[in-house]
Amino acid sequence: RIAAVERAFGPVVVGEWSLATDNCAMWLNGFNDNLPGFPRLPCKYVPCADPYMGFEQPGTPVDPSKSLQGPYGTGMSGPVWGLCPVGRDWVKERKRGSQSNFVHAPPMAPRRLDDTDAVRTQLALKKINAFSGVGHGFYFWNFRTELDEPDWSYMLALERGWIPKGNLNADIISNACIKEDEGLFLCICKRDQLESSVRGAVAYCLNDDGVKDQSYLDNLEGEDLYEEADRAFNKFWNKHRVEGATCDFGGLAMLSEVNATDTEGYDDDYYYYYGGGENTTVTVLKIVGATLGGLLVGG
């Protein structure tokens, strides 16, 4: 697409892009504001940074004895008890193909289950793979951030190893999307979804495929309906993914790697880890696939 736009209109620079997968970054959408209804899940909190313009600025330093202070916007974003919101961690899935209520996952992952580095590294490699080699460049938002938030800081992402240093034509970047290109991912329906929603999404795929008689969908339920959705979703995604289609279908679908195996060896819904002098129970998040942020081409 970038090459096509260049041929039609001229030089293209891709930006701004980041490695964030949520809206947790403080004041991302304005002072004390966020998009309506966001963040969707509880954010991770870290100590707020010292004011870069000096402590003589009004409201500084952040008061650790106060909760979120107004004025408020349409969403929630701001210091709370001396802590500032940053992006959630990614937690390793318990079992491939299983589906859990990800709302229960802690914003800060237990050390043994923290998969944030792997997720962000793969996200960076795949984005750079898409942007490099065509067009006239791309730029990251931002160069540096006040908080320890490498999702939005190019320098911190380099330090964490999420973004590779040096040659952008290295094999690790060139081959970042090889599994997708070789068809080693399937777009499948999440189980335990509302059957009415699944039928509607399957009907959308069938309409795209020119199928007129869809009455058989009314007779499908349970696993039979999910398997039909697997076929419809995967066919639609493969047909349109080069055009930018994602495997989402309103939250009904997810990507699943073909012939993938578990390596962690744990199979419980709860993982006990030692922290702060006492044993704490943490609900494990089971994730298949990754959520990718939107990209803005040409500014």
Side-chain angles (χ1 to χ4, degrees), residues 32-97:
N32 264 13
D33 203 359
N34 212 323
L35 296 176
F38 284 86
R40 299 287 194 191
L41 297 174
C43 301
K44 184 169 69 173
Y45 280 79
V46 299
C48 296
D50 291 338
Y52 62 86
M53 295 180 65
F55 286 100
E56 68 277 4
Q57 298 299 313
T60 62
V62 174
D63 191 339
S65 70
K66 295 185 180 297
S67 62
L68 186 67
Q69 302 295 297
Y72 305 112
T74 53
M76 182 180 295
S77 183
V80 179
W81 312 117
L83 301 175
C84 288
V86 296
R88 294 170 55 89
D89 290 339
W90 282 80
V91 184
K92 295 177 182 178
E93 62 193 42
R94 178 180 66 87
K95 183 188 297 183
R96 291 184 188 275

Side-chain angles (χ1 to χ4, degrees), residues 222-255:
E223 188 60 25
D224 290 336
L225 177 60
Y226 294 138
E227 289 181 355
E228 179 65 15
D230 288 345
R231 291 187 286 268
F233 291 173
N234 194 58
K235 184 176 182 179
F236 182 93
W237 177 66
N238 277 289
K239 180 180 178 181
H240 295 287
R241 69 186 185 91
V242 295
E243 303 166 7
T246 61
C247 176
D248 184 69
F249 295 94
L252 298 174
M254 62 185 182
L255 287 176

Side-chain angles (χ1 to χ4, degrees), residues 8-183:
F9 299 105
V12 173
V13 177
V14 179
E16 307 150 332
W17 64 281
S18 75
L19 296 176
T21 55
D22 54 46
N23 277 50
C24 282
M26 190 171 75
W27 300 348
L28 177 63
N29 294 286
F31 174 72
N32 264 13
D33 203 359
N34 212 323
L35 296 176
F38 284 86
R40 299 287 194 191
L41 297 174
C43 301
K44 184 169 69 173
Y45 280 79
V46 299
C48 296
D50 291 338
Y52 62 86
M53 295 180 65
F55 286 100
E56 68 277 4
Q57 298 299 313
T60 62
V62 174
D63 191 339
S65 70
K66 295 185 180 297
S67 62
L68 186 67
Q69 302 295 297
Y72 305 112
T74 53
M76 182 180 295
S77 183
V80 179
W81 312 117
L83 301 175
C84 288
V86 296
R88 294 170 55 89
D89 290 339
W90 282 80
V91 184
K92 295 177 182 178
E93 62 193 42
R94 178 180 66 87
K95 183 188 297 183
R96 291 184 188 275
S98 63
Q99 194 62 30
S100 176
N101 189 349
F102 58 88
V103 174
H104 293 162
M108 180 177 291
R111 286 188 298 274
R112 182 175 179 268
L113 303 181
D114 191 350
D115 210 27
T116 304
D117 285 344
V119 171
R120 294 294 198 275
T121 298
Q122 285 301 309
L123 181 57
L125 293 176
K126 292 177 188 298
K127 286 194 172 187
I128 296 173
N129 172 280
F131 303 152
S132 61
V134 293
H136 280 68
F138 52 89
Y139 57 95
F140 190 91
W141 181 27
N142 295 301
F143 180 75
R144 190 187 302 275
T145 56
E146 288 184 279
L147 299 174
D148 181 15
E149 198 164 14
D151 305 13
W152 297 96
S153 169
Y154 184 81
M155 296 303 293
L156 289 178
L158 283 176
E159 291 178 14
R160 289 282 290 269
W162 296 356
I163 296 177
K165 300 178 181 178
N167 184 10
L168 294 182
N169 294 316
D171 289 344
I172 192 174
I173 294 175
S174 301
N175 297 328
C177 299
I178 193 168
K179 288 185 177 181
E180 290 88 340
D181 294 339
E182 293 182 351

Side-chain angles (χ1 to χ4, degrees), residues 263-283:
T263 58
E264 287 304 304
Y266 58 90
D267 198 36
D268 295 323
D269 283 331
Y270 297 93
Y271 174 70
Y272 291 86
Y273 76 107
Y274 184 82
E278 60 184 2
N279 290 323
T280 307
T281 304
V282 178
T283 306

